[in-house]
Each structure stands twice: as structure tokens, then as C-alpha cells.
Amino acid sequence: GTVLVELGQLGEGIALLKKSMSLHADKQGKAANACHIAIGELRRGEQEAAHTYLASAKTLDPKCLLIPDVEAQMETKTIDQGR
């Protein structure tokens, strides 16, 4: 799913990531999936969904290494939309 999101195949990638997230047993894996979903949603222009998945990631694993990257991408997207 992550690779598909990076390739711009957002719908398919997000669907696979959501499925993976539901199947993961550990919180770290779920948090990583939530971060990748947030990035995909952000790229689709779905700011609210992106924020929801980022919040989920923070709840599942506050130390997830992907969280700062997602936050940076959200900040950049917000700045771009303000122009």
C-alpha cells in the first residue's frame, strides 16, 4: 500500500493500507499504517481524514518515527494552500 501511495495510486494504496492496519496485531504496525494512510489522504486533498489518521498514529504509538514526517507534509500542504 505504501508503494502505491508513493506512486500516486492513492485509492488502491489507501485501501490496502487500511486492510493491513486492521490485520496488524501490534500497535507500532498499526501506527505506521495510519501514518501512510494520512499521507495518502493528504495527497488526495482530504485534510480532515489525514488529521484523523495522524491522531490515530499518535495514540497507537506516540514514538512512531513517521509522525514527524507526516506533520511536516501537513504543514507544507497547509502553507501551499494558503498561497
Side-chain angles (χ1 to χ4, degrees):
T2 302
V3 172
L4 292 173
V5 167
E6 289 302 315
L7 291 173
Q9 297 176 22
L10 302 177
E12 189 177 352
I14 290 169
L16 286 173
L17 286 164
K18 286 180 179 180
K19 182 176 181 180
S20 178
M21 186 175 174
S22 71
L23 297 175
H24 256 290
D26 65 282
K27 290 183 178 184
Q28 291 81 14
K30 287 181 182 284
N33 283 327
C35 284
H36 289 296
I37 294 168
I39 290 168
E41 293 292 8
L42 186 65
R43 291 181 182 170
R44 282 205 291 200
E46 299 293 337
Q47 294 272 351
E48 191 172 322
H51 283 282
T52 299
Y53 278 99
L54 176 59
S56 292
K58 288 179 177 181
T59 299
L60 289 163
D61 181 14
K63 295 180 182 179
C64 178
L65 298 176
L66 298 171
I67 291 171
D69 183 50
V70 176
E71 291 174 329
Q73 288 190 45
M74 286 185 165
E75 187 174 313
T76 301
K77 190 75 166 178
T78 302
I79 291 169
D80 290 344
Q81 288 179 346
R83 291 182 186 174

